[in-house]
Amino acid sequence: MKRLTVLGALALCLAAFAPVASAQSSNDDKNHGNFGVFFDYTRLQFAKQNFFGVGARLGVNVHPHVVLEGDMAYDFQRNTTATLAGVTGTTTTVRSDLRLLHGFFGPKIQTTGPVRAFIVLKGGVLNFGVSGPATAGSFANQFGTLRDGDTNGVFYPGGGVEFNAGIFGIRLEAGDEIYWDNGANHNFKFMGGPQIRF
């Protein structure tokens, strides 16, 4: 009799949890795509410089576990400190005027649920631009140098995690931005920011 009571209680618990589980899966219908903005950090190895910028991303789901995404980021110019040759202990800060424009496209393979782990394998371009002080014109000129400027092909493998609540979420991602210029150049990249699922 005791065994029958325990089995009955277990069956009632499972029956009570079944509608909750099916309701969660039916309420998570925000699987058509996503749009997000993000903070962008790139460690440019050859220059030993950290670049910071902003970007945006748009993704369209082709399957619950596969999203086709495109993203673009603009990293602002950085100042550098240089030691003058021949003058002991003298340093000066100079403006390098180097800016970065990143553009990627490719698949994101993800888990499902409110917390999602994912990997990305994207291709794209990395453009190095040099111009004067930061203005709206220097930002627009960066796009003009994509075709005839210093633009390199990129392969970007990465991964991360998303935390979603309804249509709103936070996405954190890191990877290796590999561009080709006299061989492969590996650069650490981090992106993080809010997104909206639709």
Side-chain angles (χ1 to χ4, degrees):
M1 184 72 166
K2 192 175 191 181
R3 194 180 286 172
L4 188 58
T5 305
V6 170
L7 287 174
L10 185 60
L12 282 173
C13 287
L14 289 174
F17 279 63
V20 173
S22 65
Q24 284 179 345
S25 62
S26 66
N27 286 341
D28 192 19
D29 62 352
K30 309 297 186 275
N31 283 321
H32 304 294
N34 61 63
F35 171 76
V37 294
F38 56 86
F39 162 79
D40 180 70
Y41 164 79
T42 303
R43 172 66 179 173
L44 197 59
Q45 285 299 84
F46 89 87
K48 306 287 189 271
Q49 283 284 344
N50 298 321
F51 283 83
F52 304 95
V54 293
R57 173 183 301 112
L58 178 65
V60 177
N61 289 38
V62 294
H63 183 273
H65 296 285
V66 180
V67 182
L68 291 180
E69 289 189 326
D71 51 54
M72 183 165 274
Y74 178 77
D75 292 345
F76 304 101
Q77 73 182 19
R78 296 285 299 155
N79 293 335
T80 61
T81 301
T83 303
L84 299 175
V87 181
T88 307
T90 303
T91 62
T92 185
T93 301
V94 295
R95 191 174 63 223
S96 67
D97 291 336
L98 179 62
R99 296 175 176 84
L100 306 177
L101 182 65
H102 316 258
F104 304 129
F105 180 79
K108 175 179 82 163
I109 302 164
Q110 66 184 5
T111 61
T112 57
V115 178
R116 299 179 179 196
F118 64 88
I119 60 169
V120 293
L121 299 169
K122 297 181 180 179
V125 295
L126 172 60
N127 177 262
F128 297 95
V130 179
S131 60
T135 63
S138 63
F139 176 74
N141 287 341
Q142 185 86 25
F143 286 95
T145 64
L146 277 173
R147 190 179 60 188
D148 54 359
D150 186 6
T151 302
N152 302 279
V154 170
F155 175 62
Y156 173 71
V161 64
E162 296 177 354
F163 303 96
N164 298 300
I167 65 169
F168 299 106
I170 299 288
R171 175 171 166 164
L172 305 172
E173 177 181 331
D176 183 8
E177 184 177 19
I178 307 166
Y179 74 91
W180 279 266
D181 186 6
N182 295 320
N185 295 275
H186 297 267
N187 304 285
F188 175 76
K189 187 171 191 64
F190 170 80
M191 297 177 276
Q195 67 179 8
I196 297 174
R197 297 189 306 152
F198 52 89

